[in-house]
């Protein structure tokens, strides 16, 4: 049954070819059949092949000469590549080809038999790829039909993905398109050198490197070739002569199939690209016809320009013909904006036009840079878009600048004709008052009614003076709007008539709400800062007075237990708080001397209060017989359990017994005393002891030192040796060097030592006890 169906289909083609010969020559049926047989034998073809060739030549110059092959004496590839003087791919005219080889003949015979089952151009493309893949190394086949406008329409393809086929479905009449050149001069194009061909032609592909060589051949289905067959190969290099002859023969067979099938859709003369191009050619506007380019997932990634006016060069710098076939983002800078992309997508989905905001574009005219303003509009047309843009003239730009000024300054202009009582407001005035434009502007005398009740009388008096006396006004007032209370400024002046009386009022209204709120916030901030400053100053004064009352400084050196003691207390120079550094230097009832130096963590009234509590308690405990370590233990407990305790404190307690110049001392997290003897300085070894208030079970121990006549002992707080960010060890070294360098027996040398140590601004309080043991001469005296 299959063989019978194939035979019937092939017989139909042969009978149709006989009818064509009879119509052309007027011979009988038998003579027409003999003519076909003779032509087939002369050309080395089968009768079916000759029938296809004959049918393809209807309406043209007739079938090929009986003495040629299916390739026939056809012109070779070459000639101008779409422009005068172009020679890409040119090889001159082909000489008559010899009869095809047996392999080629059998392949063409199979193709001729398979063509009888082809119903559409798409089927034809698939059939051709199936045959040409093994015979000519083809990887893809394309069939382009010429449109009346001169462009191309893809009517069949195989070996291409749908995305690429959709992008190249319609091709405008561009320069540098090989299929168009083939149909213009009726000669094949053999594109066999990719690097050279890409300079001469616009190559199809994404990317074009996908196919390194191509062949484009005319397919004559009427008086002139109107279909182009494209064969694309991934492999580079030339097409062998046998492959060229084979492809020419295939083109002849395709002509018959396309001529007789009636299945090739006639390109619509009213196609979107062609119709729009004809319209755009007649209009003095800047416009483009765009086709969306989609990814395999269907998302729009760009737009192809299918038609454009010459005026489009006013924006993108190229002529209208040069834009066709290019991508939109390549030609129009504004296309990169997110707003325009969203607008184009919205128009594609809904069909609603998109109006873009004005944008600036600079171009060079006559060597001079000129900045112009444009507005873009997008409208739907079929499956594509029509993009137009308008260049604004000077008056448009002035209006745009005025609108921008009102928007940026949040102000609007208003006029009142006092004769006709007609008022005119700009749109910004309606926005400032929160008033719908449909309600219209208010009369000038009614304007005070928009102010808050307590500010309306002042505004009413100013308006009356303006209208009656022509006195200008500049007055702030508040109004209530749907968005809340706004602070406004109203400035106006009167335009006098011939007799000098006001006839018109010109003015503007400005919204100062944001600035007024900022001013009020600044005033509140300044007020809060002043209040805080007063509080801090009062607290500092109180703390200073409290500290002075609790820790009075002696005006001259003290002499407990036969020693000479100088005291220095220097408050911090930075900050507004006084600190908790303190000292004691007293003679006990039994004749011994007690020396205490302490430092309470922190500053302010709380630190001073804690300092007073520790100072007086420590003296009381030692006077009543407590040992130094016992006193420290009880002070630690007191600090831990006192209500409102200030935290931690460091301390040195020292008891001097004059009988044997014996010094007992203990410490709680405090720097060690510095001993100067015979011009050398060293720190006493610290006994164990932790900060007061740091733990509920501290361990304190005592240390003993025998002083000699002429010794000097310095007790101090950490403010003397600390200089952040350096370590305290470096500060201790610096104090030892300074004390040794400024050691003197006379009174008053403590000031010299402090001057050497405190060169920079003090960040902490400094308290120092300078204890001197009298020398042998002093004891004798």
């Amino acid at each position: 049954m299959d063989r019978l169906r194939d035979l019937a289909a092939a017989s139909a083609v042969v009978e149709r070819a006989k009818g064509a010969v009879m119509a052309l020559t007027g011979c009988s049926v038998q003579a027409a059949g003999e003519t076909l047989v003779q032509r087939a034998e002369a050309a080395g073809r089968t009768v079916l092949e000759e029938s296809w060739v004959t049918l393809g030549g209807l309406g043209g110059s007739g079938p090929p000469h009986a003495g040629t092959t299916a390739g026939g004496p056809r012109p070779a590839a070459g000639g101008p590549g779409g422009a005068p003087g172009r020679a890409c791919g040119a090889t001159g005219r082909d000489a008559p080809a010899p009869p095809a080889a047996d392999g080629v003949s059998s392949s063409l015979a199979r193709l001729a038999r398979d063509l009888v089952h082809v119903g559409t151009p798409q089927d034809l493309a698939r059939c051709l790829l199936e045959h040409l893949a093994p015979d000519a190394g083809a990887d893809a086949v394309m069939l382009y039909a010429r449109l009346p406008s001169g462009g191309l329409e893809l009517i069949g393809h195989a070996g291409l993905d749908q995305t690429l086929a959709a992008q190249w479905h319609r091709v405008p009449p561009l320069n540098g398109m090989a299929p168009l050149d083939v149909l213009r001069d009726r000669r094949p194009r053999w594109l066999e050198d990719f690097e050279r061909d890409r300079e001469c032609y616009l190559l199809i592909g994404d990317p074009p490197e996908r196919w390194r060589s191509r062949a484009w051949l005319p397919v004559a289905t009427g008086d002139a070739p109107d279909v182009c067959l494209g064969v694309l190969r991934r492999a580079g290099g030339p097409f062998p002569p046998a492959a060229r002859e084979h492809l020419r023969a295939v083109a002849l067979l395709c002509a018959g199939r396309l001529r007789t099938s009636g299945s090739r859709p006639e390109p619509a003369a009213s196609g979107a690209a062609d119709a729009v191009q004809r319209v755009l050619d007649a209009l003095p506007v800047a416009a483009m016809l765009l086709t969306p380019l989609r990814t395999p997932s269907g998302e729009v990634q760009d737009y192809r320009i299918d038609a454009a006016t010459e005026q489009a060069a006013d924006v993108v710098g190229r002529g209208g013909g040069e834009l066709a076939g290019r991508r939109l983002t390549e030609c129009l800078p504004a296309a990169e904006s997110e707003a325009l992309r969203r607008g184009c997508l919205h128009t594609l989905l809904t069909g609603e036009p998109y109006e873009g905001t004005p944008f600036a574009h600079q171009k060079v005219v006559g060597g001079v840079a000129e900045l112009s303003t444009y507005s873009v509009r997008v409208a739907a047309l079929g499956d594509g878009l029509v993009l137009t843009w308008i260049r604004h003239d000077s008056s448009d730009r002035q209006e745009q600048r005025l609108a921008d000024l009102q928007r940026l300054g949040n102000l609007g202009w208003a006029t009142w004709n006092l004769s006709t009582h007609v008022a005119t407001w700009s749109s910004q005035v309606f926005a400032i008052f929160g008033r719908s434009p449909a309600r219209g502007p208010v009369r000038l005398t009614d304007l005070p009614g928009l102010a808050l009740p307590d500010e309306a009388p002042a505004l009413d008096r100013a308006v009356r003076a303006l209208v009656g006396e022509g006195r200008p006004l500049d007055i702030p007032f508040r109004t209530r709007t749907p968005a809340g209370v706004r602070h406004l400024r109203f400035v106006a002046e009167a335009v006098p008539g011939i007799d000098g009386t006001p006839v018109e009022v010109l003015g503007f209204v400005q919204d100062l709400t944001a600035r007024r709120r900022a001013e009020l916030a600044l005033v509140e901030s300044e007020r809060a800062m002043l209040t805080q400053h007063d509080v801090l100053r009062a607290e500092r004064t109180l703390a200073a007075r409290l500290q002075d009352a609790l820790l009075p400084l002696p005006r001259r050196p003290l002499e407990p237990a036969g020693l000479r003691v100088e005291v220095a207390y220097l408050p911090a120079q930075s900050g507004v708080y006084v600190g908790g550094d303190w000292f004691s230097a007293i003679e006990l009832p039994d004749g011994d001397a007690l020396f205490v130096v302490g430092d309470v963590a922190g500053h302010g009234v709380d630190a001073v209060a804690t300092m007073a509590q520790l100072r007086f308690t420590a003296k009381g405990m030692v006077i009543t017989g407590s040992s130094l370590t016992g006193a420290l233990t009880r002070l630690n407990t007191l600090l831990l359990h006192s209500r409102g305790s200030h935290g931690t404190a460091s301390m040195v307690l020292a008891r001097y017994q004059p009988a044997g110049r014996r010094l007992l001392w203990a410490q709680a997290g405090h720097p060690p005393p510095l001993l100067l003897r015979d011009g050398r300085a060293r720190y006493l070894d610290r006994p164990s002891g932790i900060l007061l208030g740091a733990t509920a079970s501290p361990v304190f121990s005592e240390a003993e030192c025998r002083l000699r006549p002429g010794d000097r002992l310095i007790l101090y707080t950490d403010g003397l040796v600390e200089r952040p960010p350096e370590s305290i060890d470096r500060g201790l070294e610096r104090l030892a060097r300074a004390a040794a360098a400024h050691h003197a027996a006379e009174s008053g040398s403590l000031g010299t030592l402090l001057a050497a140590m405190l060169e920079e601004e003090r960040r902490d309080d400094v308290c120092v006890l300078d204890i001197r043991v009298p020398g042998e001469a002093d004891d004798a005296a």
Side-chain angles (χ1 to χ4, degrees), residues 166-465:
Q167 292 178 356
W168 292 90
H169 177 69
R170 288 273 186 138
V171 178
L174 305 172
N175 292 330
M177 281 297 295
L180 283 173
D181 291 349
V182 167
L183 296 179
R184 288 191 189 108
D185 57 23
R186 307 183 186 185
R187 291 184 298 170
R189 291 291 188 275
W190 308 98
L191 308 184
E192 301 165 328
D193 187 337
F194 180 80
E195 298 303 330
R196 186 182 66 175
D197 294 335
R198 74 188 310 172
E199 298 178 0
C200 303
Y201 294 105
L202 180 61
L203 301 180
I204 296 173
D206 191 10
E209 292 83 353
R210 180 178 178 181
W211 295 292
R212 307 292 296 185
S213 59
R214 306 146 194 261
W216 294 97
L217 300 97
V219 179
T221 61
D223 294 336
D226 59 355
V227 174
C228 185
L229 167 63
V231 178
L232 289 72
R233 303 188 308 175
R234 289 191 176 90
F239 288 83
R244 292 193 178 195
E245 295 302 323
H246 183 59
L247 292 177
R248 291 192 184 96
V250 169
L252 287 176
L253 297 182
C254 292
R257 174 69 271 180
L258 291 174
R259 174 74 178 178
T260 59
S261 65
S263 59
R264 184 180 68 85
E266 288 295 329
S270 59
D274 312 311
V276 172
Q277 185 63 65
R278 289 195 296 272
V279 173
L280 295 186
D281 289 341
L283 294 179
V285 296
M288 296 176 179
L289 176 64
L290 307 177
T291 296
L293 302 179
R294 302 180 182 272
T295 63
S297 62
E299 297 180 1
V300 176
Q301 62 178 0
D302 205 343
Y303 298 88
R304 187 182 67 241
I305 303 174
D306 289 338
T309 63
E310 291 296 329
Q311 288 75 13
D314 291 345
V315 174
V316 296
R318 299 186 181 91
E322 293 180 300
L323 298 178
R326 299 181 182 273
R327 297 198 173 194
L328 178 63
T329 53
E330 172 189 353
C331 303
L332 186 63
E336 295 291 341
S337 70
E338 183 65 24
L340 181 57
R341 284 197 291 268
R342 290 198 303 265
C344 290
L345 289 176
H346 179 75
T347 302
L348 279 177
L349 294 174
T350 64
E352 300 175 358
Y354 163 74
E355 295 281 352
T357 57
F359 67 94
H361 175 71
Q362 181 171 298
K363 62 176 182 175
V364 179
V365 180
V368 179
E370 179 179 313
L371 188 64
S372 302
T373 304
Y374 298 86
S375 291
V376 176
R377 186 178 188 276
V378 181
L381 180 64
D383 295 333
L385 300 173
V386 175
L387 183 146
T388 58
W389 59 93
I390 301 173
R391 178 180 175 181
H392 300 289
D393 57 23
S394 58
S395 62
D396 294 331
R397 291 197 295 271
Q398 292 295 339
E399 290 185 7
Q400 184 61 43
R401 288 169 184 166
L402 179 59
D404 292 340
L405 175 63
Q406 295 184 76
R407 175 178 53 83
L408 295 174
N410 204 3
L411 57 85
W413 56 266
T415 62
W416 289 271
N417 190 310
L418 302 181
S419 301
T420 62
H421 303 290
V422 175
T424 306
W425 284 4
S426 69
S427 59
Q428 193 67 23
V429 177
F430 286 101
I432 290 174
F433 281 104
R435 183 180 178 89
S436 171
R439 299 176 59 188
V442 301
R443 298 174 60 179
L444 181 60
T445 55
D446 296 334
L447 189 63
L450 299 179
L452 294 183
D454 56 340
E455 299 182 0
L459 181 58
D460 182 68
R461 288 192 298 270
V463 170
R464 290 182 184 277

Side-chain angles (χ1 to χ4, degrees), residues 317-634:
R318 299 186 181 91
E322 293 180 300
L323 298 178
R326 299 181 182 273
R327 297 198 173 194
L328 178 63
T329 53
E330 172 189 353
C331 303
L332 186 63
E336 295 291 341
S337 70
E338 183 65 24
L340 181 57
R341 284 197 291 268
R342 290 198 303 265
C344 290
L345 289 176
H346 179 75
T347 302
L348 279 177
L349 294 174
T350 64
E352 300 175 358
Y354 163 74
E355 295 281 352
T357 57
F359 67 94
H361 175 71
Q362 181 171 298
K363 62 176 182 175
V364 179
V365 180
V368 179
E370 179 179 313
L371 188 64
S372 302
T373 304
Y374 298 86
S375 291
V376 176
R377 186 178 188 276
V378 181
L381 180 64
D383 295 333
L385 300 173
V386 175
L387 183 146
T388 58
W389 59 93
I390 301 173
R391 178 180 175 181
H392 300 289
D393 57 23
S394 58
S395 62
D396 294 331
R397 291 197 295 271
Q398 292 295 339
E399 290 185 7
Q400 184 61 43
R401 288 169 184 166
L402 179 59
D404 292 340
L405 175 63
Q406 295 184 76
R407 175 178 53 83
L408 295 174
N410 204 3
L411 57 85
W413 56 266
T415 62
W416 289 271
N417 190 310
L418 302 181
S419 301
T420 62
H421 303 290
V422 175
T424 306
W425 284 4
S426 69
S427 59
Q428 193 67 23
V429 177
F430 286 101
I432 290 174
F433 281 104
R435 183 180 178 89
S436 171
R439 299 176 59 188
V442 301
R443 298 174 60 179
L444 181 60
T445 55
D446 296 334
L447 189 63
L450 299 179
L452 294 183
D454 56 340
E455 299 182 0
L459 181 58
D460 182 68
R461 288 192 298 270
V463 170
R464 290 182 184 277
L466 173 67
V467 175
E469 306 171 16
R471 187 185 305 168
L473 64 82
D474 185 344
I475 184 171
F477 68 96
R478 291 176 297 165
T479 185
R480 190 174 300 279
T481 69
V485 175
R486 292 181 180 271
H487 296 262
L488 306 182
R489 177 192 180 198
F490 180 35
V491 180
E493 64 179 6
V495 179
I498 298 177
D499 58 355
T501 60
V503 296
E504 188 179 21
V505 171
L506 308 177
F508 70 85
V509 179
Q510 185 176 15
D511 188 354
L512 303 177
T513 304
R515 189 171 74 181
R516 183 59 178 159
R517 288 174 179 171
E519 291 174 352
L520 293 176
L522 180 60
V523 170
E524 290 296 328
S525 177
E526 291 178 349
R527 185 178 302 166
M529 289 177 61
L530 290 174
T531 302
Q532 182 68 15
H533 178 71
D534 292 342
V535 171
L536 294 177
R537 184 170 56 183
E539 184 175 352
R540 180 181 177 88
T541 302
L542 174 61
R545 290 179 179 177
L546 179 61
Q547 187 179 51
D548 185 62
L550 298 176
L551 189 65
L553 293 177
R555 298 183 179 273
R556 53 189 167 186
L558 304 175
E559 295 183 353
L563 301 176
R564 188 177 65 211
V565 180
E566 292 186 43
V567 180
Y569 178 81
L570 302 174
Q573 292 177 319
S574 61
V576 296
Y577 291 121
V578 294
D581 289 19
W582 53 279
F583 69 93
S584 286
I586 62 174
E587 186 171 322
L588 299 175
D590 58 2
D592 293 351
L594 175 66
F595 303 106
V596 185
V597 171
D599 185 2
V600 176
H603 296 79
V605 175
D606 291 341
V608 173
T610 304
M611 174 269 292
Q613 185 181 37
L614 293 178
R615 180 172 183 263
F616 291 115
T617 304
K619 290 196 299 183
M621 288 181 180
V622 176
I623 289 174
T624 56
S626 292
S627 65
L628 300 182
T629 56
L632 289 177
T633 302
R634 292 182 179 89

